[in-house]
Amino acid sequence: MAEIQDIIHKLCDTGSLTREEIIRLLENRDSETQALLAEKASAVAREHYGNKVFVRGLIEFTNYCKNDCYYCGIRCGNKNAERYRLSVEEITECASYGYGLGFRTIVLQGGEDRFYTDDMMVDIIKSIKKEHPDVAVTLSIGEKSFESYKAFFDAGADRYLLRHETADFDHYAKLHPKNLSAENRQQCLYNLKKIGFQTGAGFMVGSPYQTFENIADDLLFLKKLDPEMIGIGPFIPHKDTVFADEKAGDLNLTLFLLSVIRLMLPTVLLPATTALGTIDPRGRELGILAGANVVMPNLSPVGVRKKYALYDNKICTGEEAAECMNCLKNRIGNIGYEIVTDRGDNIKYKSMKEGK
Ligand code: SF4
């Protein structure tokens, strides 16, 4: 089918497609086009980042959340969730433990938990940065005001992850209660960019009600936002949510989209997510081969890991971080890539900051 080949060429040459072209590409996806896109996308990743795969040490410090997103295992409405919070000391100890293992990016992730005031977050950020000035601190703590984001940035936080979830307002309303809006979420992302964070957006693949039109709009939104990081992973149902009986997102569609994203935003930092590793034992390796270049092993204390269950059957909840690192090093090495522990900044952002 010549037309699909034309679309692929256009994607590779320009990094841009129209909404109609994206939909057509998705509708005509087959193993051949998937393999071709993976080859092109991994070549682009190598051109910018070599065979390096960056690791981020993930600390899931609270599973309390004031929100009730219908797909999420730690939403406030889930009375079966066993809640926990790490103290400021426990968080900084985890960060130091990760530093000792070689991690130079620490990701602080949690539900939207009012227990941690802005002042507390500022203290945590400052204390990690003071002890380890060469570490990049990434936050993933949800929607906040412009002022809060600015305070975190001024305290030394470098990056912020906030998946936009879905760019389509109607689809957003099917996944979230009325008090949450796609509009505010997108505004948060623009605020983060404006403040100067390396900003991460993203969405679930195969979330309930998602259409190819939605995915096309997600990709166009990402192209317009031009984030430094993009996190996509398959939707995986959680037994205590509204969507318990929905089917999980598709491995191959997720891999296909990783390749499309790499081609649309060549320098983006793109994780092969834990969710990808959960739906397929080789999911993370396949993600790297499709154009991803980041993995995020867990640094949270083993005792709390299972409790941070956004979805069912999450992998790597039992091993110590050191074991996880060794396992990942072997897995990534086996496919010809190398785990590196430097900060792993987005190269476009870094060049801009250095005035090149
Ligand atoms: S998706 Fe995030 S904001 Fe929504 S309930 Fe889960 S942790 Fe809270």
Side-chain angles (χ1 to χ4, degrees):
M1 193 180 293
E3 200 198 336
I4 295 302
Q5 294 304 323
D6 292 344
I7 293 173
I8 292 175
H9 283 143
K10 184 179 169 198
L11 174 61
C12 294
D13 292 347
T14 68
S16 292
L17 293 178
T18 64
R19 187 171 189 264
E20 290 65 38
E21 286 166 341
I22 296 171
I23 294 167
R24 187 133 180 78
L25 190 59
L26 290 169
E27 284 171 346
N28 291 283
R29 178 174 69 87
D30 59 19
S31 54
E32 209 178 306
T33 48
Q34 180 162 342
L36 178 64
L37 283 183
E39 188 191 317
K40 303 270 185 204
S42 57
V44 168
R46 278 177 183 262
E47 184 188 319
H48 294 291
Y49 294 101
N51 71 338
K52 291 179 183 170
V53 174
F54 300 116
V55 279
R56 314 321 196 176
L58 179 64
I59 303 175
E60 295 158 337
F61 66 94
T62 172
N63 71 350
Y64 282 84
C65 186
K66 68 179 175 59
N67 293 333
D68 208 22
C69 306
Y70 300 151
Y71 48 84
C72 178
I74 63 168
R75 70 203 178 91
C76 64
N78 179 10
K79 302 299 173 215
N80 294 328
E82 219 184 301
R83 305 286 170 177
Y84 73 91
R85 290 184 175 113
L86 299 187
S87 67
V88 173
E89 291 70 33
E90 284 172 316
I91 296 169
T92 50
E93 270 167 27
C94 275
S96 294
Y97 171 63
Y99 189 88
L101 291 176
F103 288 94
R104 293 298 176 268
T105 290
I106 299 295
V107 182
L108 302 177
Q109 186 166 71
E112 291 196 18
D113 183 357
R114 290 195 187 97
F115 173 85
Y116 298 90
T117 60
D118 287 0
D119 287 346
M120 278 171 84
M121 290 312 302
V122 162
D123 282 349
I124 294 167
I125 297 160
K126 281 188 174 163
S127 104
I128 295 175
K129 295 294 274 197
K130 188 173 167 215
E131 222 165 300
H132 311 294
D134 52 336
V135 152
V137 172
T138 303
L139 300 177
S140 176
I141 52 174
E143 296 177 28
K144 307 273 176 189
S145 67
F146 186 95
E147 292 70 33
S148 299
Y149 287 150
K150 182 81 171 63
F152 303 152
F153 187 76
D154 291 343
D158 301 271
R159 309 184 189 132
Y160 204 105
L161 304 174
L162 185 79
R163 286 186 174 187
H164 68 278
E165 304 297 359
T166 170
D168 181 278
F169 285 23
D170 292 334
H171 186 217
Y172 196 93
K174 290 179 180 158
L175 303 179
H176 301 91
K178 281 200 170 50
N179 64 321
L180 298 173
S181 76
E183 195 180 5
N184 190 56
R185 199 141 186 109
Q186 293 179 16
Q187 187 54 54
C188 284
L189 283 163
Y190 286 112
N191 289 348
L192 289 163
K193 289 276 286 185
K194 190 170 173 196
I195 289 166
F197 278 103
Q198 290 181 61
T199 302
F203 61 96
M204 292 179 291
V205 178
S207 59
Y209 310 109
Q210 186 182 58
T211 62
F212 283 162
E213 285 76 11
N214 293 147
I215 294 177
D217 290 336
D218 285 327
L219 296 179
L220 293 174
F221 171 75
L222 289 170
K223 184 76 183 170
K224 182 169 144 218
L225 177 71
D226 193 22
E228 285 72 26
M229 306 169 285
I230 294 177
I232 66 161
F235 161 75
I236 302 176
H238 185 285
K239 61 180 174 18
D240 296 318
T241 64
V242 180
F243 298 135
D245 297 326
E246 296 289 331
K247 72 176 187 1
D250 181 66
L251 170 75
N252 283 318
L253 180 57
T254 310
L255 296 172
F256 189 85
L257 288 171
L258 282 171
S259 300
V260 173
I261 289 170
R262 169 62 66 206
L263 293 165
M264 287 180 89
L265 294 112
T267 60
V268 81
L269 294 164
L270 191 60
T273 57
T274 305
L276 198 54
T278 298
I279 59 162
D280 188 284
R282 287 194 70 236
R284 284 174 297 180
E285 290 95 314
L286 295 172
I288 306 286
L289 293 170
N293 65 337
V294 175
V295 285
M296 292 170 67
N298 205 320
L299 276 181
S300 313
V302 173
V304 302
R305 289 215 201 138
K306 283 200 194 319
K307 298 176 189 165
Y308 200 89
L310 304 181
Y311 48 81
D312 287 338
N313 304 318
K314 188 175 166 191
I315 54 166
C316 300
T317 52
E319 305 92 354
E320 288 293 343
E323 285 173 58
C324 272
M325 269 295 269
N326 284 335
C327 163
L328 270 175
K329 269 186 192 155
N330 288 334
R331 283 168 167 267
I332 303 300
N334 286 341
I335 55 165
Y337 286 77
E338 182 198 356
I339 290 270
V340 289
T341 47
D342 64 36
R343 276 177 53 116
D345 289 297
N346 176 298
I347 51 160
K348 194 166 93 178
Y349 178 94
K350 200 171 164 200
S351 312
M352 198 183 71
K353 285 280 156 197
E354 289 167 354
K356 285 183 195 158

